[in-house]
Every structure is written in structure tokens, then in C-alpha cells.
Amino acid sequence: MCGIVAYIGYREAAPLIIKGLKRLEYRGYDSAGIALLNDKGLNIYKKKGKVAELENELQHKEISANLGIGHTRWATHGEPNDINAHPHFSQSEHLAIIHNGIIENYAAIKTSLIQKGYTFESETDTEVLINFIEDVKKHKGCSTEEAVRLALSEVVGAYAIAVIDLEEPGQMIAARKGSPLVIGVGQNEYFFASDATPIIEYTKDVVYLDDHEIAVVKDGELAIKNLDNQEKGPFIQTVELELESIEKGGFEHFMLKEIYEQPKSIADCMRGRLNADTAHIQLGGLIHYIDKLATAKRIVFVACGTSWHAGLVGEYLFEELARINVEVEYASEFRYRNPIIEEGDFVIAISQSGETADTLAALELAKHKGATILGVCNVVGSSIARLTHAGVYTHAGPEIGVASTKAFTAQVSVLSMMAIATAKQKGTLTDEEYRSLLSEMASIPRKIEQILQLDEEIKDIAKLFTFASNFIFLGRGLNFPVALEGALKLKEISYIHAEGYPAAEMKHGPIALIDEDMPVVFIAIKDSSYEKVMSNIQEVKARKGRVIAIVNEGDETVRNMVDFAIEIPNSHEMVSTLLTCIPLQLLSYHIAVMRGRNVDQPRNLAKSVTVE
Ligand code: M6R
């Protein structure tokens, strides 16, 4: 978690860093800070709250500098306050650091530093690290660069750091292990950030730092070394990210923009991969693996949060279409069990960011145990994408809103294409079924456009439920994961307690909650569970629950049973989740806005969870 931005060059560092931090606020936003080095000294400014508060704080300060490091925090060690905010000084105030990650052995290092006379202002592991670096420097009589290298060799945990030194005003040192760090390479200037968004308006040339690497800019030159001090040339890549894609483009919130982008993001995801006219599907990233996937004994999806819900959809798809045994695991549980991996098993990580610590660790474990590991990631060049044997990018474009929307539908689109392609390879689909699925997939963007036109209608329904304290979401089959996703969306942005359940499970417990104050959202489309779901609706109505149902166009039967019906276009059951989730996203969005919540940056959350 946390976002870091650093700059060394000829521009004013402070405004550039503040702007960059605002772009990274999705990674954490409980406090922010900046350290600036100029000919008058090394100064740190930090503030509890959002980057805008830090910006206000800086307004009348002398902050002109061409070298600086900045941080937006998601607290791990110590509550969010001015003192725990980064950057942190070393004891001599000659070194300053920003850090994203967790130093797991910080307590032992801190104890030994205290014995040497060090004192600490904050409760953070980061202050321990910078003092450890200072201590190594002092005792070895070495350069700061060498001290960073030696200190990091003894550190257990995850980090992306940037360190500056009062005595070396032409130097920036950065390093990573387990937390992302991108370096923008300009003309006589360098940018460092947790992702490329703070960099792209200055340069598209970037270096993705690898684990156990240190980047040092000194006298205008960038050098990349490993922890054994061996130098390797910077591998400069061009980042394909446009500025417009990370701005709100007239929408009130990123989340709304991203909901509305789904016809395009799904079309982008399928472009060049699925052609319904020629009945062709090909996923470039899997070209050498599709045979093996078709004969896989088992697929295990590992993921967290919304991506885990996409994995559940994937389970139904692969089992139904390709007849492969599938398990879906919370990455955080998988990594700490002793999972059984056998020859022929595929472990597939699903992750928007490609940086989620638990998913990454689960994948490392699976790789170590001999599984073929694949990735379904959105962020190009992310850690998971680089760890896997092969994979498929979702191409949804940057997702900035903390609540995942377009990344989910792009993940489901990729999993659908993977399942169809595998089934085709395996021969478990007839030609007719195959063609029909491809044309159903191709029609999804147009059908989502139609659903988006219901926005006002959904907003009107949302108004009536703005002050509900609880919600239940029910669905069956493929749409059970959509019910889970609907509940997660609502709770994370509106802070309303919500539960998702398989509709038939309701009578085994949750039915006790039903009364006239309980809104129940049903996914009641005309699929193989339609009749069963109708019975479940009757059960809720009999107990005076208030029902909102997602139904197919023209379904008067369900409309007459429920309080509110939201009609979506008909579709093949196998692709229906790509449609049913859209009204639920809009419903949550409007309820949260009406409750006055910060939908893009809900409390306590961060977009990319790079800590355990
Ligand atoms: O980047 P990832 O897809 O690995 O992230 C996984 C979860 O942290 C993420 O889906 C989270 O649940 C979202 N806030 C849901 O909207």
C-alpha cells in the first residue's frame, strides 16, 4: 500500500510530486508528506489527511527545490497522524526516506538501534529502516548507496523506497522488493513512482525496477544494480498509457466514469482476440499453453476481493464449457495452507493491479510446487504478470476508483474467452454452441450500453434505499458470484452492511433477517435457475421483504411479484454475469453518493493491497 513519488532534475519538484501523489491516492490517503532538498537544507513537511491538505500546508512555504520525495500513506504501523506520515528523517536529519511496504523484522532492528542510543519519534517501521541505514553508514564508513544496499540485505519484508541525503544533493537512491516502483527516464531528469501515472505527462520511457534491485541517479546518470552490487543496464520500455485515461473526463467520480467505460473496456478486451464473424478466438498470451490447459487435470484460481468473485464466475465457465475441475481459493488462505499441487495442475492468478501481496505470494508458492502458473492482470508489467509462465491482460485501462467495476467485467470477459477457447480445443463444445457463445460475447458491449440508459431509473430506486442499514443480494449459478460482488460493492462504498448468498441458501439462516425493513436484491434472469429463484422471491415477499429484481426484458411475471424490477437485455446464461453486474454497480454508486460517501476513496481501503 501507499503511493510514492520522487523527482530529481531541473523542474520544481514540489508541485510535480503533489500532482503525482494525487494520482496515487487510490493507494492510500490517510496522510501525506514531502521532503525537499535545496541549497538551504533538507526539509520535511507532512500532514494527516489527504494530499490536498498537505498542498494547503505548503502554500506559503519556501519550497523551491529540484529534488524531492513524496508519499501518500495507508497506515500499517502506527495510526494515521502527522508524526507517522512519511517521509521520515534519520536521527541526524541528513537522510530522508519514503517507503511503501512492511519491514517485518523492524522490531528486532529497532531494539538493537535503541541499545545504540537511537530514539524514535514515530511508530513506523520506516523510521527504523532509515536509522538502520544511517547506522550502517556510520559504522562501515561507507557511502549512503552502499549503506542502503547493506541494510536492505538484512531486511525481511516488502519495500519500495526512495532515499535522499543532505550531503549528496545530486543523488536519488531507490530500491524495491515486493512493492512496485517505476522510474521515468527524461532528458536530464528522473521520476520515481509506484505506478506510471505520475510520470506519463513528462515521459513515456520507463524502467520497471525488479525485486532486489537498487536504482541510483547520480550526477544525471541512472544506474541499476542488484543487492550484490552488480550493475545491469536499465531496460527502458515505452509505457502505453494516455493522460486522458487517468482523468475524470467530465464524470463526477472515477467510479462512474469506469462503469460507463465498460462497453469500450470489454470491446478493447476482446479486440483482436474474439471474432464472431469468422468464428475465431485466440488469446496470444496462451498460444503455447492452450493444449496443456485443455488437458489440465485441475485449475485453481487464486485471487482476492472482486477478483476472487471473477474467479468464481470462471469456475462455472470452465466446468460447464470445458469440463475441467476447478477450485477457487482466497489467495490469503491458499498461501498459508500446504496446498496439494499435482502434475497437470494450473494455478491462475486474477488481479487487477497485479500487485496484491497475497495473490503474488500464493502464485510464488504454486510455482515453487511445480504448477503451471498463469495470470489474468490489468496492469501491464505488474509483478504478477512478470512472475507467471504466461497470461492474458484484461486491457480495461487504468482503474482508479477503489471499487472495482470495469476490471471485474474485463476479468470475466477474459475468463469467458479462456473457457471457450479451452473448450473448443478440448472438443467439449459443438460448433453451434461455440458460434453462439462467440456472438453472444460480441453483443455484450452493445447490451451494456442499453443497461447504462437505465441509470436514472436505478438512481430513483437508490433514493428509496439510501438510508437502509442492511441489504441482502441473492443469485444462483453463475449469478451467485454476482450477488457476492453486488454486496461487496455496496458495503465498500456506502458502508451499508450487505451480504451476498446463493438464493437457495437463504432458507438456511439469512431468512431470519427478512422483514419489511430488509431490502433484498435478486438476480432473477431467465436462466436455468429461473423458476427456483422465483420461489425464493416468494419466500422473501411472504415475510414482507422489499425486493429489487434484475430481470430480463418483458418479464412481467417477476415484475408483478417484486417491488422494483430492473430490466436488462436477454443473453446466453454463460455470458449473463457481464450484464447482471452493471445495475448493481450503479445501484451501489448512487446509494453511496446520496449518503455523501467518498466513492472513489472509501474509508480504510486502498486500491492496491501490497501488504498482507
Ligand atoms: O488488484 P487486485 O484485483 O488483486 O485486488 C483485489 C482486491 O483488493 C480488490 O478486488 C478489492 O476487493 C476491491 N476494492 C473491490 O472493489
Side-chain angles (χ1 to χ4, degrees):
M1 252 48 148
C2 307
I4 66 179
V5 183
Y7 176 76
I8 182 167
Y10 54 86
R11 299 176 203 254
E12 280 298 332
L16 182 152
I17 290 172
I18 293 288
K19 196 173 184 188
L21 290 177
K22 285 186 175 166
R23 295 216 176 118
L24 293 184
E25 270 191 319
Y26 73 87
R27 304 179 64 86
Y29 34 81
D30 62 42
S31 51
I34 189 166
L36 297 163
L37 178 53
N38 56 26
D39 50 9
K40 295 195 192 71
L42 174 58
N43 292 302
I44 289 182
Y45 309 90
K46 42 194 196 174
K47 195 84 197 125
K48 179 179 173 187
K50 298 196 155 227
V51 177
E53 307 211 17
L54 172 69
E55 192 177 23
N56 282 342
E57 178 84 358
L58 294 177
Q59 250 174 22
H60 303 294
K61 301 244 171 4
E62 244 318 307
I63 51 166
S64 182
N66 306 124
L67 173 64
I69 56 180
H71 189 271
T72 177
R73 180 169 185 248
W74 184 83
T76 56
H77 291 61
E79 66 171 283
N81 59 27
D82 291 359
I83 295 175
N84 288 329
H86 299 209
H88 289 281
F89 267 136
S90 62
Q91 190 127 307
S92 68
E93 299 199 353
H94 280 209
L95 305 180
I97 188 171
I98 47 173
H99 168 216
N100 167 30
I102 291 185
I103 306 301
E104 288 170 12
N105 58 339
Y106 86 102
I109 300 173
K110 188 171 183 175
T111 307
S112 96
L113 289 172
I114 289 172
Q115 282 162 1
K116 290 178 180 175
Y118 283 83
T119 54
F120 293 88
E121 284 187 0
S122 75
E123 300 155 85
T124 64
D125 51 341
T126 307
E127 194 185 5
V128 173
L129 178 58
I130 194 64
N131 279 311
F132 184 37
I133 294 169
E134 180 154 286
D135 189 58
V136 171
K137 184 176 175 182
K138 202 155 72 187
H139 284 93
K140 299 267 179 200
C142 61
S143 65
T144 306
E145 179 192 333
E146 179 70 351
V148 168
R149 197 175 65 74
L150 294 172
L152 291 182
S153 313
E154 293 191 34
V155 152
V156 179
Y159 54 79
I161 57 166
V163 174
I164 53 177
D165 181 347
L166 175 63
E167 286 157 31
E168 305 227 36
Q171 174 178 273
M172 173 81 68
I173 303 168
R176 85 156 256 180
K177 184 190 158 220
S179 299
L181 193 58
V182 187
I183 305 167
V185 181
Q187 292 287 334
N188 304 319
E189 59 179 350
Y190 297 91
F191 310 80
F192 297 75
S194 302
D195 72 30
T197 57
I199 298 174
I200 51 167
E201 65 192 274
Y202 308 103
T203 177
K204 294 277 173 76
D205 291 339
V206 300
V207 176
Y208 292 98
L209 210 60
D210 272 328
D211 277 352
H212 309 289
E213 284 183 347
I214 300 185
V216 183
V217 173
K218 203 169 184 170
D219 304 324
E221 295 297 322
L222 170 68
I224 310 281
K225 301 174 181 180
N226 63 19
L227 286 183
D228 295 325
N229 210 18
Q230 289 158 334
E231 193 163 338
K232 60 183 223 184
F235 173 48
I236 298 178
Q237 304 180 45
T238 307
V239 68
E240 285 171 24
L241 188 62
E242 296 307 325
L243 203 52
E244 306 84 76
S245 66
I246 55 167
E247 289 176 342
K248 279 192 200 148
F251 284 90
E252 200 180 338
H253 296 101
F254 280 111
M255 183 180 174
L256 190 62
K257 177 185 175 227
E258 287 155 7
I259 291 174
Y260 270 81
E261 275 173 352
Q262 289 173 108
K264 178 175 181 305
S265 53
I266 294 177
D268 288 346
C269 175
M270 295 193 292
R271 180 162 302 115
R273 293 166 164 175
L274 183 149
N275 187 329
D277 297 335
T278 56
H280 187 66
I281 196 164
Q282 187 169 56
L283 296 161
L286 291 187
I287 226 154
H288 301 300
Y289 284 86
I290 197 78
D291 289 0
K292 218 172 151 199
L293 193 56
T295 55
K297 278 216 256 144
R298 187 175 68 136
I299 294 172
V300 182
F301 287 115
V302 289
C304 303
T306 288
S307 300
W308 184 77
H309 297 155
L312 289 177
V313 177
E315 177 178 26
Y316 283 91
L317 292 169
F318 269 94
E319 290 193 351
E320 178 65 30
L321 302 178
R323 306 305 299 145
I324 299 174
N325 178 16
V326 178
E327 282 166 36
V328 188
E329 298 264 5
Y330 282 118
S332 53
E333 290 298 313
F334 180 85
R335 64 181 288 195
Y336 285 118
R337 282 211 322 273
N338 187 6
I340 297 165
I341 300 288
E342 290 175 349
E343 216 188 314
D345 282 352
F346 271 73
V347 175
I348 306 182
I350 307 169
S351 174
Q352 187 285 130
S353 61
E355 301 293 346
T356 299
D358 284 322
T359 312
L360 190 56
L363 209 55
E364 274 162 356
L365 176 70
K367 192 175 195 180
H368 179 73
K369 283 179 174 278
T372 304
I373 57 168
L374 304 181
V376 175
C377 294
N378 194 37
V379 177
V380 175
S382 55
S383 301
I384 291 175
R386 286 185 289 153
L387 179 71
T388 46
H389 293 115
V392 185
Y393 281 119
T394 50
H395 293 318
E399 189 180 66
I400 314 257
V402 165
S404 190
T405 52
K406 65 173 180 171
F408 173 73
T409 46
Q411 288 166 342
V412 172
S413 302
V414 163
L415 295 172
S416 307
M417 288 190 284
M418 281 173 72
I420 298 169
T422 308
K424 169 84 174 141
Q425 181 75 18
K426 198 169 172 181
T428 47
L429 277 181
T430 63
D431 256 12
E432 197 188 337
E433 285 164 337
Y434 172 71
R435 282 173 185 277
S436 140
L437 281 169
L438 294 194
S439 74
E440 285 284 337
M441 284 291 291
S443 70
I444 290 293
R446 178 179 50 77
K447 290 179 180 172
I448 294 180
E449 294 280 9
Q450 264 174 268
I451 299 173
L452 292 172
Q453 284 167 20
L454 305 177
D455 195 6
E456 279 304 313
E457 183 188 322
I458 295 171
K459 192 172 175 181
D460 287 343
I461 299 173
K463 267 185 208 145
L464 303 170
F465 292 95
T466 305
F467 297 105
S469 315
N470 298 286
F471 254 89
I472 295 179
F473 289 76
L474 300 173
R476 292 191 78 157
L478 279 145
N479 280 296
F480 157 54
V482 175
L484 292 177
E485 175 60 8
L488 176 62
K489 277 307 70 97
L490 185 69
K491 68 186 132 191
E492 71 180 329
I493 60 170
S494 71
Y495 319 151
I496 295 175
H497 169 245
E499 305 241 16
Y501 264 93
E505 268 297 301
M506 179 186 63
K507 55 188 168 299
H508 298 287
I511 199 163
L513 298 169
I514 310 284
D515 62 16
E516 60 277 14
D517 293 324
M518 179 61 84
V520 184
V521 179
F522 272 96
I523 299 151
I525 55 164
K526 287 188 177 157
D527 58 11
S528 49
S529 317
Y530 179 63
E531 266 86 23
K532 310 260 179 226
V533 172
M534 276 206 286
S535 309
N536 300 137
I537 293 176
Q538 299 286 17
E539 288 155 11
V540 171
K541 284 314 296 172
R543 288 156 184 86
K544 300 194 167 42
R546 300 176 73 197
V547 175
I548 304 166
I550 311 301
V551 301
N552 282 132
E553 275 164 354
D555 186 344
E556 291 304 317
T557 316
V558 177
R559 181 175 280 282
N560 290 335
M561 272 181 203
V562 301
D563 300 82
F564 302 95
I566 301 169
E567 290 191 18
I568 63 168
N570 297 324
S571 69
H572 192 296
E573 181 169 356
M574 288 295 124
V575 304
S576 62
T577 58
L578 290 165
L579 305 180
T580 51
C581 67
I582 310 290
L584 304 190
Q585 295 170 350
L586 286 168
L587 186 69
S588 297
Y589 170 78
H590 289 302
I591 290 178
V593 171
M594 287 172 201
R595 285 171 80 104
R597 306 302 189 208
N598 183 343
V599 292
D600 282 338
Q601 296 173 341
R603 70 183 180 201
N604 305 338
L605 286 170
K607 182 80 185 153
S608 174
V609 185
T610 56
V611 294
E612 277 196 55

